[in-house]
Amino acid sequence: MNGEEPRLSTQEMLDRLAPSLSPWRRLRAVLALLAGLAGGAFVAALWWTEPGPLPARTQLAFAVLTVFCLAWAGYGCWLLTRRVPLFATDRVIAGWIALVASLVSTVGVTAIALQRGTGVGAAIGVGGVFVAVSLVLVVRAHARRALLLRLQRELTGKKQE
Amino acid sequence: MTDELLVVRAQLGEQAALAELVDRWRVPVWSYVRRMLDAQRADDVTQEVWLAVVRGLPRLRAPDRFVPWLFTIARHSVTDRLRAEYARAHEQVAPGESAVDDPVEAIADRAELIAALTRLPVLEREVLVLFYLEDLSVDDCAQICDVPVGTVKSRLNRARRMLREQWEERGYRS
């Protein structure tokens, strides 16, 4: 056992880790989550604000579409929590993407509700929750990044002293 | 540059800092894993460890505790591979064994220690590797192994006694 070396060099190890660190993979995870949630809210809003009773096939189609969107949201959530690391700067970017997506979705769903003259309150309520959660994520991401930057300055200063 | 600064920079998203951390700790992590597993599994498990480190690094709240955190992840990966062996070792630990606070003695040269390690039970082997080969403190060993400090000390004592017995036995034969 003595004198043995790891089979993988540093570069080879980094190459193996590269898929997890790929910016595209991180962006894909964020987009899958947001598109799933926004799409789910959009389809659900269309479904709920239908003025008359719907045929069974249409009900089924709405249900399938909603489940499809939620499945994408679940996939994005799984990627972000289990597979893809979001570093401090990534979290700030992801937070802003979430906020913009929430605002656009809320405006879109509310416009549909207004056009149909029903469910405006529900659309604004659900959209408001999305926007509020996104805002919290943005504030937390900025706070975490600021903390790390401060720590970096302190440690760099300590090293130079 | 300190590990803590590298961890902070890596947590901010700087890939060069992460690469530097991997470069700095690649061999120590592999050495620990290799003392616990055979060569083939050691390479696979080391890769698993670094994957878990990369995924968990954004959530590490105390950058100054990077090294114990890193070896805790390594230990979890090793434990997963040696689950049966760890379970058997826990059953064999004598209850109520006292924690003797002996001063650390220079017991052998490094090569001799490494050769003898392979014959030790898994719990004693891991504290010896962490304490002597990775130069971690008893407190850090306790955190990594998720046991009280006293248990680490008693395992170290037991491991030293086992090593001494091995060497005495070999001395009689030679």
Side-chain angles (χ1 to χ4, degrees), chain A residues 1 4 8 10 16 89, chain B residues 12 23 26 34-35 47:
Chain A
M1 199 188 293
E4 273 186 323
L8 297 178
T10 301
R16 305 273 177 111
T89 308
Chain B
L12 280 164
D23 188 49
R26 180 181 62 99
R34 177 64 185 96
R35 303 307 159 220
Q47 194 180 324

Side-chain angles (χ1 to χ4, degrees), chain A:
Chain A
M1 199 188 293
N2 300 344
E4 273 186 323
E5 285 288 322
R7 188 168 49 88
L8 297 178
S9 67
T10 301
Q11 191 51 53
E12 285 169 331
M13 183 62 80
L14 290 171
D15 290 344
R16 305 273 177 111
L17 299 175
S20 288
L21 295 167
S22 143
W24 165 236
R25 196 171 177 190
R26 279 176 270 176
L27 185 63
R28 199 176 58 184
V30 171
L31 289 180
L33 174 63
L34 293 177
L37 283 176
F42 187 73
V43 173
L46 278 178
W47 193 4
W48 290 336
T49 55
E50 277 295 326
L54 291 172
R57 279 190 179 181
T58 313
Q59 298 263 23
L60 183 67
F62 272 125
V64 168
L65 274 174
T66 307
V67 169
F68 179 77
C69 289
L70 291 179
W72 272 105
Y75 173 66
C77 191
W78 174 76
L79 277 180
L80 287 174
T81 53
R82 311 290 297 182
R83 284 284 174 268
V84 182
L86 274 191
F87 295 102
T89 308
D90 304 327
R91 280 173 196 264
V92 171
I93 296 168
W96 279 107
I97 293 175
L99 186 58
V100 170
S102 301
L103 284 169
V104 170
S105 303
T106 305
V107 169
V109 171
T110 309
I112 291 169
L114 277 172
Q115 204 176 24
R116 295 181 167 208
T118 174
V120 177
I124 292 174
V126 172
V129 171
F130 274 85
V131 172
V133 170
S134 306
L135 261 176
V136 169
L137 289 175
V138 168
V139 170
R140 284 182 57 181
H142 274 286
R144 171 80 176 145
R145 186 165 179 274
L147 176 78
L148 287 171
L149 285 171
R150 194 167 61 244
L151 200 53
Q152 184 185 23
R153 278 194 300 275
E154 284 171 12
L155 290 168
T156 310
K158 205 186 288 178
K159 204 183 86 182
Q160 285 170 350
E161 280 169 10

Side-chain angles (χ1 to χ4, degrees), chain B residues 29-88:
Chain B
V29 167
W30 180 87
S31 299
Y32 164 72
V33 175
R34 177 64 185 96
R35 303 307 159 220
M36 306 301 293
L37 299 169
D38 57 74
Q40 177 59 46
R41 287 193 294 178
D43 287 320
D44 293 344
V45 169
T46 304
Q47 194 180 324
E48 281 175 25
V49 170
W50 283 109
L51 208 52
V53 167
V54 164
R55 286 175 185 158
L57 196 61
R59 290 190 298 274
L60 175 62
R61 291 289 152 182
D64 57 327
R65 302 292 297 157
F66 171 73
V67 176
W69 177 77
L70 171 65
F71 279 97
T72 302
I73 290 175
R75 183 178 188 267
H76 284 164
S77 298
V78 169
T79 311
D80 284 345
R81 298 296 176 108
L82 290 178
R83 200 163 287 284
E85 204 173 329
Y86 267 97
R88 205 164 46 242

